[in-house]
Amino acid sequence: MASTTPIDTPPAPPAHRPSPRPTGRMGDKIFLGLSRGSGILLLVIMASIAVFLSYRSAIALSENEGNFLTTFDWNPAGDPPVFGIAVLLFGTVVSSIIAMIIAVPIAVGIALFISHYAPRKLAAPLAYVIDLLAAVPSIVYGIWGALVLVPYLEGLNLWLDQFLGWTYIFEKTEIGVARSLFTVGILLAIMILPIVTSVSREVFLQVPKMNEEAALALGATRWEVIRLSVLPFGRSGVISAAMLGLGRALGETMAVATVLSPSFIISLHVLNPGGGTFAQNIAAKFGEANEVGRDALIASGLVLFVLTLLVNGAARLIIARRKEYSGANA
């Protein structure tokens, strides 16, 4: 058998490789610098606001002859000046809680209906209307509340007093129109409803379809799919939406000032006319306030500023804990 010897073949010429595309490192650096600068600028603005509010608040507190946290009166123009935020803090918190109790469950229900129940021909127009309601100015809500909501709530107040007056909270002990913290809470609920609904709807639409289809394949009903797949996935988003609505409820000014009959009295009877909030008091008193009065209003604004930061911080903490819990169970 003839032996064969390998024939040396010349190496193949290297294949033509296209020149590498620009890596965009300069663009990345520019984007990083702009992002970092924007974050730093935001912190500087927040710090500047805090410093300004703190400085003017210190001036007001040095003139105050009452306890700023517990005094019910608001008379910075008196001699001596006496003012406190007890009534304002109580009214702001109570009206916001009422608004959240009413708005959040309804908003979640509407968001679930649009994202998982409504036909496409109905879901799109309904979502558009909800988004449009979020853009209505607050003064329009205030005028509507004063002319329409307040008169129609008289019957509801009498019904609540008759059947739920034993709870003390819904006992109406003073005669007057329905310009109360309960009315303010309902108006704020209507105002924050579009915001919470829009954000929650977008969160529910991001649920992976594979999760829903897997649950349906296992024989789950539509409600079981929502309860087991949609709501757990969107819980952190719903919390964020609720906190966004709460931020608007805490700082709402013109609508509350139009509807509420202000009075510096703390009462757990939410149907009684009267009460006050930080934003409403600032809007009502700033124009006629003297130098000490303006500083006092700024001091109350500082409390609202801190309250809003605490609420947002608590929301971030809750969301972070939910993510850690979900990651640990995954």
Side-chain angles (χ1 to χ4, degrees):
M1 179 179 291
S3 61
T4 59
T5 58
I7 301 176
D8 295 334
T9 57
H16 176 70
R17 297 180 179 179
S19 58
R21 294 183 178 180
T23 59
R25 291 180 179 177
M26 182 58 66
D28 291 340
K29 292 180 179 179
I30 294 175
F31 181 77
L32 176 62
L34 291 176
S35 301
R36 184 177 298 169
S38 300
I40 295 174
L41 179 61
L42 177 61
L43 293 177
V44 170
I45 293 175
M46 295 288 289
S48 301
I49 294 175
V51 169
F52 169 77
L53 294 177
S54 300
Y55 173 72
R56 298 294 295 267
S57 300
I59 298 176
L61 294 179
S62 64
E63 300 289 338
N64 188 17
E65 293 296 328
N67 190 305
F68 184 66
L69 298 178
T70 60
T71 300
F72 287 11
D73 194 14
W74 187 271
N75 187 22
D79 188 18
V82 177
F83 53 88
I85 61 167
V87 175
L88 304 179
L89 180 61
F90 176 82
T92 300
V93 173
V94 169
S95 60
S96 299
I97 290 176
I98 294 173
M100 296 293 292
I101 292 174
I102 297 173
V104 173
I106 298 176
V108 172
I110 296 174
L112 288 173
F113 176 76
I114 294 175
S115 60
H116 288 81
Y117 284 96
R120 184 171 300 179
K121 292 183 179 180
L122 176 62
L126 187 57
Y128 175 77
V129 172
I130 294 296
D131 294 338
L132 186 62
L133 289 175
V136 176
S138 60
I139 186 61
V140 176
Y141 281 108
I143 295 174
W144 173 83
L147 299 180
V148 178
L149 183 62
V150 170
Y152 277 94
L153 282 182
E154 288 292 336
L156 177 60
N157 286 358
L158 294 176
W159 185 88
L160 291 173
D161 179 42
Q162 180 179 357
F163 293 99
L164 296 177
W166 56 270
T167 62
Y168 187 83
I169 295 177
F170 293 108
E171 182 183 7
K172 187 176 176 64
T173 60
E174 295 182 11
I175 300 176
V177 294
R179 294 181 176 270
S180 60
L181 292 178
F182 182 70
T183 303
V184 172
I186 294 178
L187 182 61
L188 292 177
I190 297 172
M191 296 180 66
I192 68 177
L193 185 67
I195 300 174
V196 182
T197 301
S198 299
V199 177
S200 300
R201 182 191 72 236
E202 295 301 322
V203 172
F204 293 150
L205 290 175
Q206 301 302 319
V207 177
K209 294 299 180 182
M210 294 181 61
N211 295 0
E212 300 182 29
E213 293 172 357
L216 290 173
L218 293 174
T221 63
R222 180 65 62 88
W223 163 241
E224 290 173 338
V225 171
I226 291 175
R227 182 170 60 87
L228 299 176
S229 299
V230 178
L231 292 179
F233 179 87
R235 185 175 289 114
S236 61
V238 172
I239 294 174
S240 300
M243 292 302 105
L244 184 63
L246 179 59
R248 180 172 186 182
L250 290 172
E252 182 53 48
T253 304
M254 296 309 300
V256 179
T258 306
V259 170
L260 186 64
S261 295
S263 66
F264 277 83
I265 299 175
I266 290 181
S267 175
L268 294 178
H269 302 291
V270 297
L271 301 182
N272 288 343
T277 66
F278 286 114
Q280 169 266 329
N281 188 60
I282 293 173
K285 301 291 181 62
F286 194 85
E288 60 186 19
N290 56 11
E291 188 69 23
V292 177
R294 285 192 291 269
D295 289 340
L297 294 174
I298 291 174
S300 66
L302 175 62
V303 177
L304 180 60
F305 180 78
V306 173
L307 181 62
T308 305
L309 290 181
L310 291 177
V311 169
N312 289 320
R316 297 290 298 179
L317 182 61
I318 294 173
I319 294 173
R321 288 183 178 273
R322 296 296 309 181
K323 289 183 178 179
E324 292 178 2
Y325 178 78
S326 301
N329 291 339

